[in-house]
Amino acid sequence: QVQLQESGPGLVKPSQTLSLTCIVSGDSITTNFHHWTWIRQPPGKGLEWMGVIEHSGNTYYSPSLKSRTSISRDTSKNQFTLQLSSVTPEDTAVYYCARLWNGMDYWGKGTLITVSS
């Protein structure tokens, strides 16, 4: 059973950098053709894809977030991390990590991140 678990601070101040980690179990983040992605959903809005880290370690980002987003991984811990810099209240959202293989077939439960002073 593949499971993903997001962990993060809950509350971030404006202009700071948000860091979220997704811990994966039941699969390896280096398995061929299994990619790992971040998605968010602001309150009352739809899902927004943020970026992906492929099994090879290559990364791709949403053009609208590319300048502020970085995704990295720690293969020894089987986890990957999202960093979003210069956050504003508009970055308040539920953040999800997911596996991308046969579509986004496994998701974490999501974690609410609030940006507020």
Side-chain angles (χ1 to χ4, degrees):
Q1 177 75 11
V2 179
Q3 293 185 323
L4 295 89
Q5 178 66 55
E6 305 91 350
S7 65
L11 179 65
V12 184
K13 295 184 184 301
S15 80
Q16 291 186 339
T17 295
L18 166 65
S19 183
L20 289 171
T21 296
C22 182
I23 302 170
V24 179
S25 60
D27 190 10
S28 169
I29 63 173
T30 60
T31 299
N32 281 349
F33 310 116
H34 290 191
H35 310 314
W36 307 90
T37 189
W38 287 98
I39 309 102
R40 68 180 182 178
Q41 185 169 29
K45 297 184 179 181
L47 294 170
E48 179 183 22
W49 178 78
M50 300 183 70
V52 63
I53 184 163
E54 295 186 332
H55 66 95
S56 61
N58 291 335
T59 54
Y60 301 92
Y61 303 108
S62 166
S64 65
L65 296 170
K66 185 176 182 179
S67 65
R68 299 195 292 130
T69 306
S70 176
I71 300 175
S72 59
R73 66 181 184 175
D74 186 334
T75 56
S76 68
K77 296 181 179 179
N78 209 41
Q79 63 187 40
F80 60 106
T81 298
L82 170 74
Q83 290 193 311
L84 182 66
S85 63
S86 304
V87 297
T88 72
E90 292 185 344
D91 293 310
T92 294
V94 177
Y95 286 74
Y96 300 92
C97 57
R99 187 179 79 171
L100 178 61
W101 181 46
N102 186 19
M104 293 183 191
D105 54 356
Y106 286 97
W107 292 63
K109 293 181 180 179
T111 185
L112 174 63
I113 300 298
T114 301
V115 180
S116 175
S117 55

